[in-house]
Amino acid sequence: MRILHCSDPHFDLSLRSIPLRKWFGKRAVGALNLLGGRGHYFDNADEKIDALVRFKETHAVDLVLCTGDYTALGLEAELENAAELIAPLAQPPEHFITLPGNHDIYAKDVIHSDAFFRYFGRYMHNDWPQYSVDGVWPFVRLFDEVAVIGVNSAKPNPMPWRSDGHIPSEQLEALGQILADPRLADRWVFVMTHYAARLADGRPDRKQHGLRNADDFLRVCRPIRHGAILNGHIHRCYRTDLTPEGLTIDLYCAGSVTMEGRECFWLFDVNREGMRVQRGVYAEGEYHLLECTDV
């Protein structure tokens, strides 16, 4: 099976679309950051996703996993726009799996309105709903020799200087039960969440930006013997192979698939014999593959 893991497309939507009543608190600060220059790094995100669709079709990708951050400020108009732009990549829908990033759940109103789930819920189907304890979370998708598990680490951060995440304890407990299920014994297991449990050098991210209970999450993931932990949030592609907390699998950060100068993703080929991993990059309007690693 060929699996493409991408993250953080951050589709651009004009700030003029923001209703005046939304210009307060953290969104106001975020908008100023975009106006100050951060936003231009994603000016051509829609064109790059079109190129990713071409790559997917040319390279016969079976399954696409996206670890969130479709938007900048988590506005409903942004989510609607992002859902429309991602739709060509998400075909067929049952072979596209996603979850929210911190920018998609930027403020509490996104949770109250259930906006993310209204636009992206179709990509979070659950084959084992008996394990869901926090809305849809955690969810499990099964594909022949592969199992994909999604846990939600994104949450609103009212304070402008905070962008940290947290996986609720009930989700971690359910994740542990899923990983103990004997039906996973012979499968490649991919656990996806938005926040990085470790940086490229194996260290935890700083508290104001990272996954607050990363150590607990890694301890729960110890039973995994074949597969990977997948995340985004940090806009650089890297693999952490320091096996922290007794893990026997690697952690892969897909960076941002659209950020100018850093566009990247991971491509996994898995079968009964092993897993081959390649990194994708963007150049001259198209995505290309770089190094190959057998795991």
Side-chain angles (χ1 to χ4, degrees):
M1 191 170 192
R2 173 162 280 184
I3 302 169
L4 188 153
H5 169 218
C6 61
S7 197
D8 294 63
H10 287 292
F11 293 114
D12 176 60
L13 192 63
S14 172
L15 293 178
R16 289 176 294 179
S17 66
I18 303 177
L20 288 177
R21 67 181 182 277
K22 299 293 186 180
W23 283 90
F24 67 91
K26 186 171 182 178
R27 279 209 179 99
V29 176
L32 290 173
N33 286 336
L34 294 175
L35 289 170
R38 183 179 184 275
H40 80 85
Y41 288 110
F42 302 96
D43 283 347
N44 300 314
D46 52 346
E47 298 175 11
K48 293 171 184 177
I49 291 299
D50 289 342
L52 192 63
V53 172
R54 294 193 295 271
F55 176 93
K56 174 193 170 188
E57 294 171 348
T58 301
H59 291 80
V61 172
D62 299 302
L63 178 64
V64 178
L65 311 178
C66 182
T67 43
D69 266 2
Y70 293 94
T71 68
L73 302 175
L75 293 163
E76 179 144 355
E78 287 183 286
L79 291 166
E80 182 180 11
N81 178 61
E84 180 179 342
L85 291 173
I86 208 70
L89 184 66
Q91 297 299 322
E94 59 270 20
H95 282 233
F96 183 84
I97 303 175
T98 195
L99 38 74
N102 59 301
H103 282 266
D104 303 320
I105 307 182
Y106 202 69
K108 290 183 178 180
D109 60 349
V110 181
I111 295 179
H112 295 158
S113 67
D114 210 28
F116 185 84
F117 292 93
R118 281 191 282 111
Y119 290 105
F120 290 90
R122 64 187 303 202
Y123 308 126
M124 294 182 285
H125 177 71
N126 197 348
D127 292 328
W128 288 354
Q130 66 271 26
Y131 286 113
S132 297
V133 294
D134 183 15
V136 70
W137 314 106
F139 63 71
V140 181
R141 296 294 311 278
L142 303 175
F143 304 89
D144 297 328
E145 300 168 353
V146 170
V148 179
I149 306 169
V151 292
N152 181 29
S153 55
K155 63 181 179 66
N157 282 297
M159 298 298 100
W161 58 85
R162 286 185 56 175
S163 56
D164 54 286
H166 178 267
I167 302 173
S169 58
E170 57 267 33
Q171 285 191 43
L172 289 181
E173 182 177 352
L175 174 60
Q177 294 171 0
I178 292 169
L179 294 177
D181 193 305
R183 291 173 289 181
L184 294 187
D186 297 324
R187 295 180 185 267
W188 289 90
V189 176
F190 293 85
V191 178
M192 55 188 294
T193 195
H194 179 66
Y195 281 84
R198 289 291 185 267
L199 300 177
D201 60 4
R203 294 182 298 108
D205 198 353
R206 65 186 190 276
K207 288 185 178 181
Q208 302 300 323
H209 185 262
L211 181 60
R212 289 245 165 182
N213 57 342
D215 290 347
D216 294 336
F217 172 57
L218 293 176
R219 278 193 290 271
V220 173
C221 290
R222 279 178 179 172
I224 303 173
R225 292 292 174 263
H226 305 287
I229 295 174
L230 310 179
N231 67 267
H233 189 54
I234 298 170
H235 294 168
R236 292 184 182 275
C237 238
Y238 64 83
R239 181 183 74 176
T240 301
D241 56 4
L242 300 181
T243 60
E245 299 297 331
L247 282 173
T248 59
I249 64 170
D250 293 340
L251 289 71
Y252 289 85
C253 177
S256 170
V257 73
T258 60
M259 184 176 182
E260 183 179 346
R262 296 186 185 178
E263 304 94 337
C264 60
F265 62 82
W266 290 105
L267 190 71
F268 301 87
D269 286 294
V270 296
N271 56 42
R272 292 188 181 276
E273 284 69 46
M275 179 168 73
R276 183 178 64 173
V277 187
Q278 294 173 274
R279 185 160 63 97
V281 297
Y282 184 78
E284 299 180 352
E286 299 295 337
Y287 286 94
H288 311 273
L289 291 173
L290 294 182
E291 69 266 19
C292 174
T293 303
D294 292 317
V295 179

